[in-house]
């Protein structure tokens, strides 16, 4: 019900998935940039998905905080974008996440890097995220 278009010369699909909720994980070929895709078959209201995403982030990183929240149109679909900063196992991480929900279910596309690298890698993360499509 969804797709993620990405440049295979820049991103590799990971063979082994660390996140048990994820369907796919990607790593940038130069390192330091990562992405996780978590689909659900259940349609979840975006506000409910937002609340769950923040609660899940705070379980893993109690210091997680939203630095940007906005609705966007990506490939003709209404997407919730949340940027978050968090400390995971002592490492400061910045996330840019897209959340979608519709008849086909809900999808979370999360791209991340070190907080100190976000400005440098923001364009790569956004190119990947903007390759998200929904087929309904």
């Amino acid at each position: 019900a969804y797709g993620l278009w990405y440049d295979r010369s820049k991103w590799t699909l990971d063979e082994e998935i660390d996140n048990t909720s994820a369907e796919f994980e990607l790593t940038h070929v130069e390192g330091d940039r990562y992405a996780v895709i978590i689909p659900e078959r259940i349609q979840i209201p975006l506000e409910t998905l937002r609340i769950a995403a923040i609660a899940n982030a705070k379980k893993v990183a109690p210091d997680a905080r939203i630095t940007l929240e906005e609705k966007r149109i990506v490939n003709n679909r209404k997407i919730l974008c949340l940027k978050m900063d968090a400390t995971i196992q002592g490492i400061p991480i910045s996330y840019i996440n897209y959340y979608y929900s519709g008849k086909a279910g809900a999808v979370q596309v999360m791209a991340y890097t070190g907080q100190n690298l976000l400005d440098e890698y923001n364009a790569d993360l956004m190119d990947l995220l903007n390759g998200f499509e929904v087929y309904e």
Side-chain angles (χ1 to χ4, degrees):
Y2 74 93
L4 182 68
W5 295 94
Y6 64 93
D7 184 341
R8 290 184 180 176
S9 70
K10 292 183 179 180
W11 294 91
T12 59
L13 196 57
D14 295 342
E15 298 282 329
E16 294 183 28
I17 298 176
D18 294 329
N19 184 328
T20 57
S21 300
E23 184 169 15
F24 298 104
E25 291 183 347
L26 296 141
T27 301
H28 195 278
V29 295
E30 294 175 1
D32 299 329
R33 288 151 276 185
Y34 310 93
V36 176
I37 299 97
I38 301 173
E40 304 279 348
R41 292 184 56 207
I42 296 173
Q43 184 175 0
I44 304 167
L46 270 181
E47 180 57 23
T48 303
L49 193 55
R50 175 193 173 278
I51 291 166
I54 293 167
N56 288 337
K58 290 203 173 272
K59 282 182 194 172
V60 178
D63 71 336
R65 65 183 179 85
I66 295 173
T67 60
L68 175 83
E69 178 175 345
E70 64 186 20
K71 296 209 171 127
R72 298 180 177 181
I73 302 296
V74 177
N75 296 315
N76 298 316
R77 300 294 179 178
K78 187 186 214 180
I79 303 291
L80 173 63
C81 175
L82 293 180
K83 288 187 179 183
M84 290 190 237
D85 285 344
T87 305
I88 308 291
Q89 297 178 346
I91 303 168
I93 303 288
S94 287
Y95 293 86
I96 307 173
N97 303 337
Y98 277 6
Y99 302 94
Y100 169 82
S101 189
K103 292 177 185 174
V107 181
Q108 301 174 58
V109 184
M110 302 178 291
Y112 59 98
T113 189
Q115 285 179 20
N116 64 314
L117 301 174
L118 183 60
D119 289 342
E120 182 179 350
Y121 295 146
N122 188 66
D124 285 334
L125 299 178
M126 292 309 305
D127 282 346
L128 178 71
L129 289 165
N130 289 329
F132 175 67
E133 286 191 300
V134 176
Y135 312 114
E136 289 186 309

